[in-house]
């Protein structure tokens, strides 16, 4: 009896010593900071990288919530690592590569311009904004994902390009109606070209990873040029872009209703695509349970963030509570299965797929063959975002 009591007490003390968090958002953010992630450097060398922008967005929300200056300082350090004093962006970014990904660090520049008033951040933001003026487009007007992928629109690109485009327009050109129209059109074209049609096999009423307007990519479907599968992280990026840009786009512009309608259309289907046992989402959403498919952590965290934020702000009605219930169940699975307490007091984040591209076949076998990693910044940043929303419940 006494031995049992001692064992139980030791167990309690051991778990206290493990830096048991009051807030998973804080624990995850502090752990990534302790590992030096998302600071504008890769192996000590400056890199203009979208996942750093995603993480800085999460740190900004934490800073605004908790007012811990550590987060603001870390954002500044990270941005200063990729922007020179004269506002020029480090050469790992090249305008004429016409890649949307790096632009996701642009909202950080705009945030620092807002907070510090330093002109270097405006110079840097102007350089990114300049890319969009000459960025190649499809005949319908969709930005190509990259110059090397002609006529291809990928869901990922909406998060990378439009959050910056909207924040820039909001902060520096609020009366530029052409820009607001264009941002609206980017979301709309992506939706129309990738939404599964009524007779699609394994119809989840969700959006394929991307499309090729010219129908030449090996993966493009004969009818509409879309890729074969719904990939969780691509849709996660798109959903996060919807809820974030809705905060930025003026309610008086028609685009607000367009984005709202898309969000309201997708949300119940995202809820319904969860795995019934675990409550989280498959890597390849269109092939639930198929051998080799698995529950993927970055896309799942993105959906939790988007669903909870959409309901919290009244963008989506949830009369029976099923959307919030789905997000809560998924969040519970994440904390149980993907959060790993480390011996040194930090936490690690498991099961994030490293890449999902449309540069090869874009089929089921491609997606499941990609490696997963621990502490992939795209995933842990999404977990910070999901946790911030969960902790508002
Ligand atoms: C702010 O965050 C840092 C870790 O990033 C932590 O060490 C520090 O204690 C926090 N400060 C406060 C006032 O909570
Ligand atoms: C803490 O431990 C984890 C797991 O071993 C490791 O990945 C991480 O780098 C360590 N963090 C620090 C700050 O040493
Ligand atoms: C800005 O500063 C960097 C680093 O000192 C330098 O390489 C670059 O030429 C400068 N750009 C301009 C436009 O002055
Ligand atoms: C920028 O990219 C373009 C097109 O990819 C290339 O021709 C050019 O050499 C690059 N410039 C630098 C400085 O790397
Ligand atoms: C910073 O952003 C806030 C919120 O959008 C806005 O009210 C404020 O005017 C901005 N400040 C500057 C200096 O741009
Ligand atoms: C307004 O946005 C459009 C579309 O991006 C752009 O072509 C135009 O140059 C912008 N206007 C100004 C005054 O910068
Ligand atoms: C619906 O999608 C399927 C699969 O991509 C395709 O075979 C079919 O032609 C499409 N039908 C319409 C009306 O677009
Ligand atoms: C439909 O989903 C099932 C179950 O995951 C899978 O085995 C099958 O290959 C899928 N069919 C198509 C055409 O994607
Ligand atoms: C991370 O997940 C993989 C597969 O899902 C598993 O094999 C591995 O043991 C997990 N890592 C840790 C440290 O729990």
């Amino acid at each position: 009896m006494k031995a049992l009591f001692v064992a139980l007490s030791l167990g309690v003390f051991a778990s206290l010593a493990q830096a048991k968090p009051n807030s998973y958002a804080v624990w995850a953010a502090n752990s990534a900071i302790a590992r030096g992630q998302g600071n504008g450097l890769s192996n000590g060398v400056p890199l203009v990288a979208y996942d750093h922008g995603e993480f800085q967005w999460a740190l900004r929300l934490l800073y605004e919530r908790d007012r811990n200056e550590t987060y603001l300082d870390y954002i500044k350090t990270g941005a200063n690592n990729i922007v020179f004093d004269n506002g020029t962006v480090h050469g790992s970014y090249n305008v004429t590569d016409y890649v949307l990904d790096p632009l996701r660090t642009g909202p950080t520049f705009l945030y620092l311009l807002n907070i510090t008033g330093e002109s270097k951040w405006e110079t840097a933001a102007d350089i990114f904004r300049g890319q969009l003026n000459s960025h190649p487009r499809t005949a319908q007007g969709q930005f190509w994902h990259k110059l090397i992928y002609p006529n291809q629109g990928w869901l990922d690109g909406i998060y990378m390009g439009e959050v910056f485009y909207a924040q820039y327009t909001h902060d520096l050109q609020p009366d530029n109606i052409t820009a607001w129209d264009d941002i609206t059109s980017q979301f709309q074209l992506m939706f129309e070209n990738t939404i599964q049609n009524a007779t699609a096999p394994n119809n989840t009423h969700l959006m394929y990873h991307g499309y090729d307007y010219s129908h030449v990519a090996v993966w493009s479907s004969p009818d509409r040029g879309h890729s074969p599968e719904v990939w969780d992280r691509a849709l996660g990026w798109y959903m996060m872009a919807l809820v974030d840009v809705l905060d930025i786009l003026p309610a008086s512009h028609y685009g607000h209703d367009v984005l709202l309608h898309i969000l309201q259309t997708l949300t119940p289907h995202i809820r319904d695509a969860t795995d019934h046992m675990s409550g989280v989402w498959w890597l390849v959403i269109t092939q639930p349970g198929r051998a080799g498919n698995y529950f993927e952590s970055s896309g799942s965290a993105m959906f939790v963030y988007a669903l909870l934020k959409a309901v919290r702000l009244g963008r989506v009605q949830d009369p029976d509570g099923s959307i919030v219930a789905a997000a809560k169940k998924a969040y519970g699975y994440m904390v149980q299965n993907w959060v790993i307490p480390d011996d040194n007091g930090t936490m690690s984040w498991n099961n994030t797929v490293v890449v999902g591209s449309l540069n090869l076949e874009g089929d089921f076998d491609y997606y499941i063959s990609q490696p997963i990693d621990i502490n992939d910044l795209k995933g842990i940043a999404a977990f910070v975002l999901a946790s911030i929303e969960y902790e508002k419940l």
Side-chain angles (χ1 to χ4, degrees), residues 246 249 251 253-262 264:
L246 275 166
L249 209 163
H253 186 272
Y254 74 90
H256 202 269
D257 279 346
V258 171
L259 267 58
L260 202 53
H261 183 71
I262 295 175
Q264 290 170 351

Side-chain angles (χ1 to χ4, degrees), residues 51 54 233 237 296-299 301-302 349 352-353 375-385:
D51 47 346
E54 178 199 9
R233 186 158 71 230
W237 292 129
E296 198 280 327
S297 67
S298 65
M302 291 174 187
W349 174 254
T352 294
V353 70
N375 293 327
D376 185 295
L377 187 59
K378 300 179 283 293
I380 198 160
F383 179 63
V384 177
L385 290 166

Side-chain angles (χ1 to χ4, degrees), residues 66-88:
D66 297 348
R67 291 289 153 194
N68 184 336
E69 295 289 330
T70 303
Y71 300 130
L72 182 59
D73 290 345
Y74 200 76
I75 293 170
K76 282 184 188 162
T77 302
N80 274 313
N81 278 333
I82 56 167
V83 178
F84 297 115
D85 289 344
N86 59 18
T88 302

Side-chain angles (χ1 to χ4, degrees), residues 129-168:
R129 180 63 182 81
Q131 176 184 326
L132 294 176
N133 286 333
S134 50
H135 198 98
R137 297 170 182 254
T138 66
Q140 289 180 314
Q142 185 100 64
F143 291 132
W144 295 3
H145 191 63
K146 296 182 184 181
L147 184 64
I148 58 166
Y149 302 136
N151 287 298
Q152 295 182 21
W154 301 12
L155 270 52
D156 328 40
I158 295 291
Y159 186 73
M160 305 312 158
E162 268 51 65
V163 179
F164 165 69
Y165 196 176
Q167 192 74 58
Y168 184 96

Side-chain angles (χ1 to χ4, degrees), residues 23-150:
S23 157
Y24 279 100
V26 166
W27 198 21
N30 290 357
S31 299
I33 289 173
R35 287 187 292 263
Q37 294 185 276
N39 63 357
L41 303 176
S42 171
N43 298 318
V45 178
L47 184 70
V48 185
Y50 62 89
D51 47 346
H52 295 223
E54 178 199 9
F55 184 54
Q56 288 157 355
W57 185 265
L59 291 183
R60 165 191 169 172
L61 296 180
L62 267 189
Y63 171 63
E64 288 171 353
R65 186 186 81 176
D66 297 348
R67 291 289 153 194
N68 184 336
E69 295 289 330
T70 303
Y71 300 130
L72 182 59
D73 290 345
Y74 200 76
I75 293 170
K76 282 184 188 162
T77 302
N80 274 313
N81 278 333
I82 56 167
V83 178
F84 297 115
D85 289 344
N86 59 18
T88 302
V89 182
H90 182 268
S92 64
Y93 166 77
N94 177 344
V95 173
T96 51
D97 282 343
Y98 292 112
V99 178
L100 291 174
D101 290 346
L103 304 189
R104 187 57 189 82
T105 57
T108 303
F109 307 162
L110 292 162
Y111 187 57
L112 292 176
L113 173 63
N114 182 301
I115 287 207
T116 69
E118 288 168 20
S119 65
K120 71 178 262 189
W121 302 118
E122 186 163 356
T123 305
D126 283 345
I127 291 168
F128 278 4
R129 180 63 182 81
Q131 176 184 326
L132 294 176
N133 286 333
S134 50
H135 198 98
R137 297 170 182 254
T138 66
Q140 289 180 314
Q142 185 100 64
F143 291 132
W144 295 3
H145 191 63
K146 296 182 184 181
L147 184 64
I148 58 166
Y149 302 136

